[in-house]
mmCIF file of all heavy atoms in Angstrom:
data_model
loop_
_atom_site.group_PDB
_atom_site.id
_atom_site.type_symbol
_atom_site.label_atom_id
_atom_site.label_comp_id
_atom_site.label_asym_id
_atom_site.label_seq_id
_atom_site.Cartn_x
_atom_site.Cartn_y
_atom_site.Cartn_z
ATOM 1 N N PRO A 100 137.596 91.745 100.828
ATOM 2 C CA PRO A 100 137.321 90.311 100.865
ATOM 3 C C PRO A 100 138.540 89.533 101.390
ATOM 4 O O PRO A 100 139.673 89.934 101.140
ATOM 5 C CB PRO A 100 137.051 89.966 99.392
ATOM 6 C CG PRO A 100 136.672 91.274 98.764
ATOM 7 C CD PRO A 100 137.463 92.313 99.484
ATOM 8 N N PRO A 101 138.319 88.413 102.122
ATOM 9 C CA PRO A 101 136.986 87.864 102.397
ATOM 10 C C PRO A 101 136.336 88.430 103.663
ATOM 11 O O PRO A 101 135.126 88.524 103.732
ATOM 12 C CB PRO A 101 137.268 86.369 102.554
ATOM 13 C CG PRO A 101 138.670 86.322 103.096
ATOM 14 C CD PRO A 101 139.404 87.481 102.487
ATOM 15 N N HIS A 102 137.138 88.808 104.692
ATOM 16 C CA HIS A 102 136.521 89.215 105.958
ATOM 17 C C HIS A 102 137.237 90.396 106.600
ATOM 18 O O HIS A 102 137.135 90.591 107.814
ATOM 19 C CB HIS A 102 136.505 88.043 106.961
ATOM 20 C CG HIS A 102 135.767 86.837 106.484
ATOM 21 N ND1 HIS A 102 134.394 86.800 106.364
ATOM 22 C CD2 HIS A 102 136.210 85.632 106.062
ATOM 23 C CE1 HIS A 102 134.017 85.606 105.912
ATOM 24 N NE2 HIS A 102 135.099 84.886 105.728
ATOM 25 N N PHE A 103 137.965 91.175 105.830
ATOM 26 C CA PHE A 103 138.735 92.280 106.403
ATOM 27 C C PHE A 103 138.019 93.613 106.197
ATOM 28 O O PHE A 103 137.076 93.737 105.407
ATOM 29 C CB PHE A 103 140.133 92.348 105.792
ATOM 30 C CG PHE A 103 140.982 91.143 106.086
ATOM 31 C CD1 PHE A 103 141.974 90.740 105.190
ATOM 32 C CD2 PHE A 103 140.805 90.399 107.244
ATOM 33 C CE1 PHE A 103 142.760 89.639 105.450
ATOM 34 C CE2 PHE A 103 141.596 89.296 107.512
ATOM 35 C CZ PHE A 103 142.576 88.911 106.612
ATOM 36 N N LEU A 104 138.506 94.614 106.908
ATOM 37 C CA LEU A 104 137.995 95.981 106.792
ATOM 38 C C LEU A 104 139.111 96.876 106.280
ATOM 39 O O LEU A 104 140.210 96.890 106.841
ATOM 40 C CB LEU A 104 137.515 96.476 108.160
ATOM 41 C CG LEU A 104 137.247 97.988 108.286
ATOM 42 C CD1 LEU A 104 136.069 98.397 107.416
ATOM 43 C CD2 LEU A 104 136.996 98.367 109.749
ATOM 44 N N GLY A 105 138.834 97.618 105.225
ATOM 45 C CA GLY A 105 139.787 98.598 104.715
ATOM 46 C C GLY A 105 139.342 100.001 105.092
ATOM 47 O O GLY A 105 138.150 100.267 105.276
ATOM 48 N N VAL A 106 140.305 100.900 105.227
ATOM 49 C CA VAL A 106 140.034 102.317 105.460
ATOM 50 C C VAL A 106 141.024 103.122 104.632
ATOM 51 O O VAL A 106 142.224 102.832 104.642
ATOM 52 C CB VAL A 106 140.205 102.707 106.947
ATOM 53 C CG1 VAL A 106 139.959 104.207 107.135
ATOM 54 C CG2 VAL A 106 139.272 101.912 107.847
ATOM 55 N N TRP A 107 140.517 104.109 103.875
ATOM 56 C CA TRP A 107 141.450 105.036 103.226
ATOM 57 C C TRP A 107 141.178 106.447 103.732
ATOM 58 O O TRP A 107 140.050 106.794 104.096
ATOM 59 C CB TRP A 107 141.379 104.951 101.697
ATOM 60 C CG TRP A 107 140.159 105.506 101.010
ATOM 61 C CD1 TRP A 107 139.091 104.800 100.539
ATOM 62 C CD2 TRP A 107 139.892 106.881 100.672
ATOM 63 N NE1 TRP A 107 138.172 105.633 99.951
ATOM 64 C CE2 TRP A 107 138.637 106.930 100.014
ATOM 65 C CE3 TRP A 107 140.581 108.074 100.864
ATOM 66 C CZ2 TRP A 107 138.071 108.113 99.555
ATOM 67 C CZ3 TRP A 107 140.023 109.256 100.411
ATOM 68 C CH2 TRP A 107 138.784 109.269 99.760
ATOM 69 N N CYS A 108 142.242 107.243 103.772
ATOM 70 C CA CYS A 108 142.109 108.623 104.226
ATOM 71 C C CYS A 108 143.242 109.449 103.625
ATOM 72 O O CYS A 108 144.311 108.918 103.304
ATOM 73 C CB CYS A 108 142.133 108.710 105.754
ATOM 74 S SG CYS A 108 143.638 108.098 106.518
ATOM 75 N N PRO A 109 143.024 110.739 103.434
ATOM 76 C CA PRO A 109 144.096 111.598 102.923
ATOM 77 C C PRO A 109 145.082 111.942 104.031
ATOM 78 O O PRO A 109 144.705 112.180 105.170
ATOM 79 C CB PRO A 109 143.346 112.851 102.450
ATOM 80 C CG PRO A 109 142.120 112.893 103.311
ATOM 81 C CD PRO A 109 141.754 111.468 103.608
ATOM 82 N N GLU A 110 146.344 111.907 103.689
ATOM 83 C CA GLU A 110 147.421 112.368 104.557
ATOM 84 C C GLU A 110 148.190 113.435 103.796
ATOM 85 O O GLU A 110 148.042 113.550 102.571
ATOM 86 C CB GLU A 110 148.355 111.204 104.927
ATOM 87 C CG GLU A 110 147.700 110.080 105.708
ATOM 88 C CD GLU A 110 147.500 110.424 107.171
ATOM 89 O OE1 GLU A 110 147.907 111.527 107.587
ATOM 90 O OE2 GLU A 110 146.929 109.594 107.893
ATOM 91 N N PRO A 111 149.010 114.241 104.476
ATOM 92 C CA PRO A 111 149.809 115.238 103.748
ATOM 93 C C PRO A 111 150.677 114.566 102.680
ATOM 94 O O PRO A 111 151.535 113.748 102.993
ATOM 95 C CB PRO A 111 150.675 115.864 104.851
ATOM 96 C CG PRO A 111 149.887 115.666 106.104
ATOM 97 C CD PRO A 111 149.203 114.346 105.940
ATOM 98 N N GLY A 112 150.377 114.841 101.426
ATOM 99 C CA GLY A 112 151.179 114.312 100.326
ATOM 100 C C GLY A 112 150.822 112.926 99.855
ATOM 101 O O GLY A 112 151.410 112.433 98.888
ATOM 102 N N SER A 113 149.875 112.255 100.512
ATOM 103 C CA SER A 113 149.580 110.880 100.095
ATOM 104 C C SER A 113 148.166 110.473 100.480
ATOM 105 O O SER A 113 147.491 111.149 101.261
ATOM 106 C CB SER A 113 150.580 109.904 100.728
ATOM 107 O OG SER A 113 150.369 109.816 102.122
ATOM 108 N N LEU A 114 147.749 109.346 99.920
ATOM 109 C CA LEU A 114 146.559 108.638 100.372
ATOM 110 C C LEU A 114 147.038 107.429 101.169
ATOM 111 O O LEU A 114 147.905 106.692 100.715
ATOM 112 C CB LEU A 114 145.710 108.169 99.193
ATOM 113 C CG LEU A 114 144.977 109.248 98.390
ATOM 114 C CD1 LEU A 114 144.379 108.628 97.136
ATOM 115 C CD2 LEU A 114 143.886 109.891 99.224
ATOM 116 N N ARG A 115 146.489 107.248 102.348
ATOM 117 C CA ARG A 115 146.871 106.118 103.193
ATOM 118 C C ARG A 115 145.770 105.083 103.149
ATOM 119 O O ARG A 115 144.588 105.418 103.329
ATOM 120 C CB ARG A 115 147.112 106.582 104.624
ATOM 121 C CG ARG A 115 147.572 105.491 105.579
ATOM 122 C CD ARG A 115 147.644 106.028 107.001
ATOM 123 N NE ARG A 115 148.145 105.023 107.932
ATOM 124 C CZ ARG A 115 148.101 105.141 109.254
ATOM 125 N NH1 ARG A 115 147.557 106.237 109.801
ATOM 126 N NH2 ARG A 115 148.571 104.187 110.039
ATOM 127 N N LEU A 116 146.133 103.824 102.922
ATOM 128 C CA LEU A 116 145.170 102.731 102.890
ATOM 129 C C LEU A 116 145.576 101.695 103.924
ATOM 130 O O LEU A 116 146.735 101.256 103.961
ATOM 131 C CB LEU A 116 145.097 102.098 101.504
ATOM 132 C CG LEU A 116 144.554 103.023 100.408
ATOM 133 C CD1 LEU A 116 145.702 103.638 99.627
ATOM 134 C CD2 LEU A 116 143.620 102.272 99.471
ATOM 135 N N MET A 117 144.625 101.302 104.776
ATOM 136 C CA MET A 117 144.881 100.381 105.872
ATOM 137 C C MET A 117 143.943 99.184 105.795
ATOM 138 O O MET A 117 142.807 99.311 105.354
ATOM 139 C CB MET A 117 144.676 101.095 107.211
ATOM 140 C CG MET A 117 145.705 102.157 107.535
ATOM 141 S SD MET A 117 145.094 103.360 108.765
ATOM 142 C CE MET A 117 144.157 104.449 107.683
ATOM 143 N N CYS A 118 144.434 98.045 106.246
ATOM 144 C CA CYS A 118 143.641 96.818 106.327
ATOM 145 C C CYS A 118 143.614 96.360 107.783
ATOM 146 O O CYS A 118 144.669 96.227 108.417
ATOM 147 C CB CYS A 118 144.255 95.737 105.441
ATOM 148 S SG CYS A 118 143.595 94.075 105.739
ATOM 149 N N PHE A 119 142.411 96.129 108.315
ATOM 150 C CA PHE A 119 142.240 95.617 109.674
ATOM 151 C C PHE A 119 141.495 94.285 109.630
ATOM 152 O O PHE A 119 140.595 94.102 108.815
ATOM 153 C CB PHE A 119 141.432 96.596 110.526
ATOM 154 C CG PHE A 119 142.111 97.912 110.778
ATOM 155 C CD1 PHE A 119 141.857 98.997 109.952
ATOM 156 C CD2 PHE A 119 142.984 98.067 111.841
ATOM 157 C CE1 PHE A 119 142.475 100.225 110.182
ATOM 158 C CE2 PHE A 119 143.609 99.289 112.082
ATOM 159 C CZ PHE A 119 143.350 100.365 111.253
ATOM 160 N N ASP A 120 141.879 93.383 110.516
ATOM 161 C CA ASP A 120 141.112 92.159 110.735
ATOM 162 C C ASP A 120 140.194 92.430 111.921
ATOM 163 O O ASP A 120 140.667 92.598 113.050
ATOM 164 C CB ASP A 120 142.051 90.995 111.048
ATOM 165 C CG ASP A 120 141.304 89.674 111.231
ATOM 166 O OD1 ASP A 120 140.070 89.703 111.443
ATOM 167 O OD2 ASP A 120 141.946 88.612 111.184
ATOM 168 N N PRO A 121 138.885 92.523 111.723
ATOM 169 C CA PRO A 121 137.973 92.836 112.840
ATOM 170 C C PRO A 121 138.131 91.906 114.035
ATOM 171 O O PRO A 121 137.991 92.340 115.184
ATOM 172 C CB PRO A 121 136.586 92.722 112.203
ATOM 173 C CG PRO A 121 136.816 92.987 110.754
ATOM 174 C CD PRO A 121 138.152 92.396 110.450
ATOM 175 N N ASP A 122 138.430 90.628 113.772
ATOM 176 C CA ASP A 122 138.592 89.684 114.875
ATOM 177 C C ASP A 122 139.790 90.021 115.751
ATOM 178 O O ASP A 122 139.845 89.616 116.922
ATOM 179 C CB ASP A 122 138.756 88.255 114.342
ATOM 180 C CG ASP A 122 137.422 87.623 113.956
ATOM 181 O OD1 ASP A 122 136.407 87.951 114.606
ATOM 182 O OD2 ASP A 122 137.396 86.805 113.019
ATOM 183 N N GLU A 123 140.767 90.735 115.204
ATOM 184 C CA GLU A 123 141.980 91.057 115.955
ATOM 185 C C GLU A 123 141.875 92.378 116.707
ATOM 186 O O GLU A 123 142.706 92.675 117.569
ATOM 187 C CB GLU A 123 143.185 91.123 115.004
ATOM 188 C CG GLU A 123 143.550 89.795 114.366
ATOM 189 C CD GLU A 123 144.697 89.935 113.380
ATOM 190 O OE1 GLU A 123 145.105 91.095 113.111
ATOM 191 O OE2 GLU A 123 145.184 88.902 112.890
ATOM 192 N N LEU A 124 140.873 93.190 116.385
ATOM 193 C CA LEU A 124 140.778 94.519 116.994
ATOM 194 C C LEU A 124 140.433 94.417 118.481
ATOM 195 O O LEU A 124 139.413 93.838 118.852
ATOM 196 C CB LEU A 124 139.716 95.357 116.270
ATOM 197 C CG LEU A 124 140.058 95.816 114.859
ATOM 198 C CD1 LEU A 124 138.843 96.460 114.199
ATOM 199 C CD2 LEU A 124 141.238 96.789 114.872
ATOM 200 N N ALA A 125 141.287 95.013 119.308
ATOM 201 C CA ALA A 125 141.052 95.010 120.754
ATOM 202 C C ALA A 125 140.141 96.167 121.137
ATOM 203 O O ALA A 125 140.217 97.259 120.560
ATOM 204 C CB ALA A 125 142.380 95.116 121.496
ATOM 205 N N ALA A 126 139.280 95.946 122.116
ATOM 206 C CA ALA A 126 138.392 97.003 122.606
ATOM 207 C C ALA A 126 139.196 97.995 123.444
ATOM 208 O O ALA A 126 140.228 97.657 124.028
ATOM 209 C CB ALA A 126 137.265 96.403 123.435
ATOM 210 N N PHE A 127 138.720 99.234 123.470
ATOM 211 C CA PHE A 127 139.333 100.262 124.312
ATOM 212 C C PHE A 127 138.224 101.145 124.875
ATOM 213 O O PHE A 127 137.139 101.243 124.293
ATOM 214 C CB PHE A 127 140.360 101.085 123.517
ATOM 215 C CG PHE A 127 139.811 101.725 122.267
ATOM 216 C CD1 PHE A 127 139.154 102.956 122.308
ATOM 217 C CD2 PHE A 127 139.948 101.096 121.023
ATOM 218 C CE1 PHE A 127 138.652 103.540 121.155
ATOM 219 C CE2 PHE A 127 139.442 101.672 119.867
ATOM 220 C CZ PHE A 127 138.801 102.901 119.931
ATOM 221 N N PRO A 128 138.477 101.805 126.000
ATOM 222 C CA PRO A 128 137.442 102.666 126.590
ATOM 223 C C PRO A 128 137.321 103.980 125.824
ATOM 224 O O PRO A 128 138.291 104.474 125.246
ATOM 225 C CB PRO A 128 137.952 102.908 128.012
ATOM 226 C CG PRO A 128 139.435 102.744 127.917
ATOM 227 C CD PRO A 128 139.669 101.693 126.862
ATOM 228 N N PHE A 129 136.126 104.550 125.836
ATOM 229 C CA PHE A 129 135.914 105.832 125.170
ATOM 230 C C PHE A 129 136.849 106.909 125.718
ATOM 231 O O PHE A 129 137.224 107.829 125.001
ATOM 232 C CB PHE A 129 134.461 106.286 125.332
ATOM 233 C CG PHE A 129 133.506 105.641 124.370
ATOM 234 C CD1 PHE A 129 132.456 104.869 124.824
ATOM 235 C CD2 PHE A 129 133.663 105.815 123.002
ATOM 236 C CE1 PHE A 129 131.570 104.275 123.936
ATOM 237 C CE2 PHE A 129 132.789 105.228 122.105
ATOM 238 C CZ PHE A 129 131.738 104.447 122.564
ATOM 239 N N GLU A 130 137.237 106.778 126.985
ATOM 240 C CA GLU A 130 138.115 107.780 127.593
ATOM 241 C C GLU A 130 139.426 107.939 126.830
ATOM 242 O O GLU A 130 140.041 109.007 126.852
ATOM 243 C CB GLU A 130 138.411 107.414 129.054
ATOM 244 C CG GLU A 130 137.245 107.588 130.010
ATOM 245 C CD GLU A 130 136.214 106.469 129.896
ATOM 246 O OE1 GLU A 130 136.502 105.454 129.226
ATOM 247 O OE2 GLU A 130 135.118 106.621 130.469
ATOM 248 N N GLU A 131 139.860 106.880 126.143
ATOM 249 C CA GLU A 131 141.131 106.944 125.407
ATOM 250 C C GLU A 131 141.071 107.907 124.222
ATOM 251 O O GLU A 131 142.097 108.413 123.786
ATOM 252 C CB GLU A 131 141.542 105.547 124.920
ATOM 253 C CG GLU A 131 142.113 104.671 126.001
ATOM 254 C CD GLU A 131 142.770 103.422 125.428
ATOM 255 O OE1 GLU A 131 143.078 103.400 124.215
ATOM 256 O OE2 GLU A 131 142.955 102.458 126.192
ATOM 257 N N ILE A 132 139.888 108.141 123.680
ATOM 258 C CA ILE A 132 139.799 108.982 122.485
ATOM 259 C C ILE A 132 139.133 110.328 122.744
ATOM 260 O O ILE A 132 139.039 111.150 121.829
ATOM 261 C CB ILE A 132 139.059 108.254 121.335
ATOM 262 C CG1 ILE A 132 137.674 107.758 121.780
ATOM 263 C CG2 ILE A 132 139.894 107.127 120.786
ATOM 264 C CD1 ILE A 132 136.846 107.199 120.638
ATOM 265 N N VAL A 133 138.687 110.566 123.985
ATOM 266 C CA VAL A 133 138.110 111.873 124.302
ATOM 267 C C VAL A 133 139.202 112.936 124.157
ATOM 268 O O VAL A 133 140.204 112.918 124.855
ATOM 269 C CB VAL A 133 137.530 111.895 125.731
ATOM 270 C CG1 VAL A 133 137.173 113.320 126.139
ATOM 271 C CG2 VAL A 133 136.296 111.003 125.815
ATOM 272 N N GLY A 134 139.032 113.821 123.215
ATOM 273 C CA GLY A 134 139.991 114.888 122.993
ATOM 274 C C GLY A 134 141.246 114.471 122.256
ATOM 275 O O GLY A 134 142.062 115.319 121.882
ATOM 276 N N TRP A 135 141.423 113.158 122.009
ATOM 277 C CA TRP A 135 142.673 112.681 121.391
ATOM 278 C C TRP A 135 142.838 113.209 119.977
ATOM 279 O O TRP A 135 143.915 113.688 119.595
ATOM 280 C CB TRP A 135 142.692 111.152 121.389
ATOM 281 C CG TRP A 135 143.997 110.576 120.909
ATOM 282 C CD1 TRP A 135 145.144 110.411 121.634
ATOM 283 C CD2 TRP A 135 144.285 110.090 119.598
ATOM 284 N NE1 TRP A 135 146.121 109.857 120.846
ATOM 285 C CE2 TRP A 135 145.627 109.649 119.587
ATOM 286 C CE3 TRP A 135 143.552 109.995 118.410
ATOM 287 C CZ2 TRP A 135 146.232 109.113 118.459
ATOM 288 C CZ3 TRP A 135 144.161 109.469 117.292
ATOM 289 C CH2 TRP A 135 145.488 109.034 117.319
ATOM 290 N N PHE A 136 141.784 113.132 119.183
ATOM 291 C CA PHE A 136 141.898 113.559 117.797
ATOM 292 C C PHE A 136 142.146 115.061 117.686
ATOM 293 O O PHE A 136 142.770 115.519 116.735
ATOM 294 C CB PHE A 136 140.634 113.187 117.015
ATOM 295 C CG PHE A 136 140.584 111.733 116.619
ATOM 296 C CD1 PHE A 136 139.572 110.902 117.080
ATOM 297 C CD2 PHE A 136 141.533 111.190 115.778
ATOM 298 C CE1 PHE A 136 139.517 109.573 116.711
ATOM 299 C CE2 PHE A 136 141.489 109.855 115.405
ATOM 300 C CZ PHE A 136 140.478 109.044 115.868
ATOM 301 N N LYS A 137 141.650 115.829 118.642
ATOM 302 C CA LYS A 137 141.866 117.277 118.596
ATOM 303 C C LYS A 137 143.330 117.636 118.803
ATOM 304 O O LYS A 137 143.788 118.687 118.353
ATOM 305 C CB LYS A 137 141.001 117.965 119.658
ATOM 306 C CG LYS A 137 139.505 117.868 119.390
ATOM 307 C CD LYS A 137 138.702 118.575 120.475
ATOM 308 C CE LYS A 137 137.202 118.449 120.204
ATOM 309 N NZ LYS A 137 136.400 119.088 121.267
ATOM 310 N N GLN A 138 144.073 116.759 119.469
ATOM 311 C CA GLN A 138 145.476 117.018 119.751
ATOM 312 C C GLN A 138 146.404 116.290 118.794
ATOM 313 O O GLN A 138 147.619 116.377 118.918
ATOM 314 C CB GLN A 138 145.798 116.587 121.185
ATOM 315 C CG GLN A 138 144.954 117.275 122.241
ATOM 316 C CD GLN A 138 145.144 116.657 123.618
ATOM 317 O OE1 GLN A 138 146.153 116.024 123.890
ATOM 318 N NE2 GLN A 138 144.166 116.849 124.495
ATOM 319 N N SER A 139 145.846 115.566 117.858
ATOM 320 C CA SER A 139 146.653 114.735 116.971
ATOM 321 C C SER A 139 146.254 114.966 115.522
ATOM 322 O O SER A 139 145.121 115.346 115.223
ATOM 323 C CB SER A 139 146.454 113.256 117.339
ATOM 324 O OG SER A 139 147.006 112.408 116.362
ATOM 325 N N ASN A 140 147.197 114.705 114.619
ATOM 326 C CA ASN A 140 146.891 114.764 113.192
ATOM 327 C C ASN A 140 146.393 113.426 112.663
ATOM 328 O O ASN A 140 146.073 113.304 111.489
ATOM 329 C CB ASN A 140 148.145 115.184 112.409
ATOM 330 C CG ASN A 140 148.535 116.621 112.696
ATOM 331 O OD1 ASN A 140 147.675 117.474 112.874
ATOM 332 N ND2 ASN A 140 149.834 116.887 112.745
#
C-alpha cells in the first residue's frame, strides 16, 4: 500500500525484499531477457 509492488525471493543466506513503483518502471524489449536468467543468479 498504497500503490507499490513488493517482491520477495530467496538469496544465498538471506531473503531479499524489494519495492517497485509501477509508474517508474521503464519498458524493455524481450530480447534483453532472452537467456539472461540462465547466465545469471
Side-chain angles (χ1 to χ4, degrees):
H102 301 289
F103 296 151
L104 167 66
V106 178
W107 71 260
C108 60
E110 298 283 358
S113 69
L114 290 171
R115 182 186 183 192
L116 295 98
M117 291 159 278
C118 167
F119 294 94
D120 182 343
D122 280 328
E123 294 177 353
L124 289 172
F127 56 85
F129 279 119
E130 288 77 11
E131 283 192 18
I132 55 173
V133 169
W135 186 82
F136 282 118
K137 293 180 181 178
Q138 302 171 23
S139 169
N140 292 324

